[in-house]
Amino acid sequence: MKNFLSVEDVPDLTGLLHKALAYKAEPFVDKQLGVGKTLGMLFMNPSMRTRISTQVAARNLGMEVIVFNVEKDGWQLEFADGAIMKGDKTEHIKEAAAVLGQYLQVLGIRSFPKLTDRNEDYSEHVIRQFAKYSNIPVLSLESATLHPLQSLADILTIKENFQQPRRPKIVMTWAPHVKVLPQAVPNSFAQWVNAWGEADFVIVQPEGYELAEQFAGNATIENNQDKALQGADFVYVKNWSSYKNYGKIIRNDTSWMFTNKKLALTNNAKVMHCLPVRRNIVIADEILDGPNSIVIPQAGNRVWAAQAVLSELLK
Ligand code: CP
C-alpha cells in the first residue's frame, strides 16, 4: 500500500481486517517491523483518539513517533501553486513536505475542511499535496472528506459484534448537533461499508443532508428515520452538515436524537458513534450508558486498525 487516504488505497480489505484482528490478539507479534523507522503525525486540528491510538499502534510495531501541532508550533503553509508569498504564509508545501520526507518513513496528516468551498475541500488538495511532495507513504488521520482509519475500526467492530449466518442491516442516521461538522466520517463510513459489501446498508437523513453520490454509492437512502431503523442490527449515529448547501446547517430537528424510543424500533441494535459525542444532543445518556452502546470498544479498535495500516505502509 503506497498511501492510506481512502478505501481505494486498500488492495485487500478482507486481508486488512484479518490483520487488524490478528494484531488485537497478538499486539507485539511484529514489534521488529518498524525498528529504526519514524512516524511523523502532523495535526492541523484537534484530536484525542486518532492521535493516541495511532501512536500506540506505531509503538507496537517498534516505530518512533513524532507528533507536530502545525497550527501551534509550525510555519503557516502555502498550498497554492505559483503563489507570490507576500502574506502571512511562510513556507510552501513543496518544501515543507519534501523536508519531512527526508526525516520520516511514514507521514500522518490531519486536515479538516474549511467548509466554505466545496470544490476545494473535495479536491483534497491539502493531503494530496503532502502525498505528492513528501515522497514517503502518507496516512490520513482524517482529511477534508474522509476518515479511513475510523472506518476500518468501524467495520472491524461490526464484524466482531455480528456472528449470525446472514447479512447485518446497518443504518447510518443523521443526528442533530450544535456546530457545523464535516461530512468526512459519514462519507468514509459509507465508502467502506459499500466496499466491504457484506451488509444491507441504509443511510437516513432529513432532506437536504444527502451525502455526495460518490460515497453514498448503492446504499438505500431514506428520509424517514423511524422507518429506516426497523430491523437494524447496527445504528451508526452521526451529525454532518449539508453537502448540497455546502457546509450549512439547514435544519436541526432535535427529534432525530438517538434515544431508547428509537432503539426500540431496531433489532436490538448495537449503537455506534466515532466520538467525541455531545450527550443528549446527538445520543441520549440512556443509550450511551446502556447495554447497546459499543462506542468504547469501537474507539478501542482504532489501535488495531492503525496497526494493520502502518504495517502495510511499512512494507
Ligand atoms: N474519532 C476521532 O477521530 O476522534 P479524535 O478526533 O479524537 O481523533
Side-chain angles (χ1 to χ4, degrees), residues 1-310:
M1 196 158 38
K2 190 164 173 279
N3 295 306
F4 185 74
L5 309 184
S6 89
V7 76
E8 288 167 4
D9 292 314
V10 179
D12 177 10
L13 176 47
T14 306
L16 194 63
L17 287 164
H18 284 145
K19 186 163 207 163
L21 285 169
Y23 280 140
K24 187 168 185 174
E26 276 192 273
F28 306 112
V29 69
D30 277 337
K31 64 176 191 258
Q32 295 300 323
L33 189 66
V35 170
K37 298 188 172 158
T38 304
L39 165 68
M41 297 169 70
L42 265 66
F43 286 90
M44 300 183 187
N45 312 97
S47 166
M48 183 176 83
R49 277 144 290 270
T50 307
R51 182 185 300 249
I52 294 175
S53 62
T54 309
Q55 287 186 68
V56 171
R59 287 183 178 145
N60 287 350
L61 294 169
M63 297 184 86
E64 296 288 332
V65 185
I66 295 171
V67 178
F68 189 67
N69 298 306
V70 178
E71 297 285 309
K72 187 165 160 270
D73 301 322
W75 301 112
Q76 281 206 54
L77 295 178
E78 174 63 65
F79 288 87
D81 216 12
I84 298 167
M85 292 172 58
K86 61 182 181 184
D88 51 5
K89 309 261 176 74
T90 308
E91 179 157 33
H92 201 279
I93 183 66
K94 289 184 181 181
E95 284 78 45
V99 167
L100 291 167
Q102 300 285 306
Y103 305 147
L104 306 166
Q105 280 67 53
V106 181
L107 174 60
I109 304 290
R110 169 163 283 200
S111 173
F112 287 173
K114 294 199 189 98
L115 290 174
T116 49
D117 180 336
R118 187 170 88 177
N119 287 339
E120 184 179 300
D121 290 342
Y122 273 68
S123 75
E124 290 284 13
H125 76 296
V126 172
I127 200 161
R128 290 201 180 279
Q129 287 196 72
F130 275 107
K132 182 173 176 185
Y133 295 117
S134 66
N135 222 13
I136 56 172
V138 168
L139 167 67
S140 172
L141 304 173
E142 186 171 345
S143 66
T145 67
L146 293 170
H147 194 358
L149 281 178
Q150 177 69 54
S151 309
L152 176 57
D154 296 340
I155 304 285
L156 197 63
T157 307
I158 290 168
K159 251 180 96 70
E160 281 184 319
N161 281 277
F162 195 77
Q163 272 89 38
Q164 297 183 45
R166 62 175 176 85
R167 292 160 68 86
K169 177 178 175 181
I170 302 172
V171 177
M172 179 167 69
T173 179
W174 181 93
H177 205 279
V178 292
K179 289 190 127 184
V180 177
L181 297 191
Q183 297 104 35
V185 168
N187 279 347
S188 195
F189 184 70
Q191 190 187 40
W192 280 72
V193 173
N194 286 326
W196 184 42
E198 294 188 23
D200 296 332
F201 184 38
V202 178
I203 304 173
V204 61
Q205 75 264 312
E207 261 180 60
Y209 282 107
E210 293 77 13
L211 296 172
E213 280 176 23
Q214 72 203 79
F215 301 121
N218 294 328
T220 302
I221 308 297
E222 296 277 4
N223 295 131
N224 182 328
Q225 192 189 38
D226 288 0
K227 178 175 170 232
L229 290 171
Q230 307 280 338
D233 299 298
F234 294 89
V235 180
Y236 200 106
V237 188
K238 185 72 184 84
N239 170 269
W240 59 89
S241 60
S242 176
Y243 171 74
K244 275 187 183 168
N245 196 349
Y246 192 62
K248 297 282 185 296
I249 298 176
I250 48 177
R251 67 180 68 92
N252 209 14
D253 187 345
T254 55
S255 72
W256 281 64
M257 178 172 75
F258 201 74
T259 60
N260 272 346
K261 201 170 154 202
K262 301 282 180 186
L263 181 68
L265 300 169
T266 72
N267 183 28
N268 195 26
K270 302 288 186 201
V271 181
M272 304 176 69
H273 189 282
C274 61
L275 304 181
V277 63
R278 287 182 182 248
R279 282 175 171 250
N280 304 310
I281 297 286
V282 179
I283 303 180
D285 278 344
E286 63 201 20
I287 294 287
L288 288 165
D289 297 332
N292 290 63
S293 169
I294 53 171
V295 299
I296 303 302
Q298 178 187 359
N301 279 336
R302 295 291 306 274
V303 172
W304 319 116
Q307 194 166 335
V309 169
L310 283 170

